Amino acid sequence: MSTLDAALGRHLDGSRRLLLVAGVLVAVELLLLGVYFAVSSRTVLAPRYVLYPLVWIDVAVLAVLAVDRPRATGRRRLVALAVGVAYFLVVASLDGTVGLGTEMAVFRVLPLSPGWGPALLYDGAVVRLALLPFKVIGYAALAYLVYALVADVAGSGVVGGAVGLLSCVSCTLPLAAALVSGLVGGTVGLTATGTWSYDLSTLAFVVSVALLAWRPTVGSGLLSRFR
């Protein structure tokens, strides 16, 4: 068997594994949705808002499985790990997932629909948390992909990381709008509370994962010249 045949075989095996995992995820999620709405009095007003968190979770899981484990060791691995952790904290803090506490000593668990919940809200003396499953899983996946990318190709996480910041729901959309407004010298009326905020955030998240997981070769090639 040639090297090409072996590589093709590994690719097909990996694709079949991803399809199997995707099928299992979708089946489990549909089951959970069915059970939740069967026992809950809640009604669905906008189906896409029920499905978007599941898109985040599925894309996050499949992307992490699709990426090869980083082979970096020693200092390079520690640097990549630090970048990944910092990335997660920045995105989570911009979105309000993690913040400074206000000493209110509040702890609540909200039984929201699968993906949105169960949501954990905590506000203490040191830290404030608003943990929605799809955000935690999505941001953790982005952070891992940034870590893997930095570990494998020094500096190539810039493009994917910059786009990944757009996946923040609560405040990065107005931040991006302010940036665009400053660049063009006009006024951009885009806010995160708008009708399409979660649509745009989900699109940005999927694009971010695609850039970080599949890594455009043009950027990597250009960066390799400076290594």
Side-chain angles (χ1 to χ4, degrees), residues 111-161:
L112 305 178
S113 65
W116 288 99
L120 186 151
L121 305 180
Y122 171 77
D123 193 349
V126 178
V127 66
R128 173 177 49 80
L129 303 174
L131 304 181
L132 302 179
F134 81 97
K135 286 187 182 182
V136 174
I137 294 173
Y139 296 160
L142 281 172
Y144 176 79
L145 294 173
V146 169
Y147 155 75
L149 198 55
V150 172
D152 289 342
V153 183
S156 65
V158 175
V159 174

Side-chain angles (χ1 to χ4, degrees), residues 90-106:
V90 168
V91 175
S93 62
L94 285 174
D95 196 23
T97 298
V98 178
L100 296 178
T102 59
E103 300 185 359
M104 296 180 62
V106 174

Side-chain angles (χ1 to χ4, degrees), residues 49 52-53 56 90-98 115-116 130 132-136 138-139 142 163-177 190-206 208:
Y49 292 140
Y52 280 160
W56 280 56
V90 168
V91 175
S93 62
L94 285 174
D95 196 23
T97 298
V98 178
W116 288 99
L132 302 179
F134 81 97
K135 286 187 182 182
V136 174
Y139 296 160
L142 281 172
V163 177
L165 287 174
L166 294 178
S167 62
C168 244
V169 172
S170 299
C171 61
T172 52
L173 285 177
L175 285 176
L190 179 64
T191 65
T193 57
T195 305
W196 301 101
S197 60
Y198 279 96
D199 305 82
L200 296 175
S201 299
T202 300
L203 176 61
F205 175 77
V206 173
S208 305

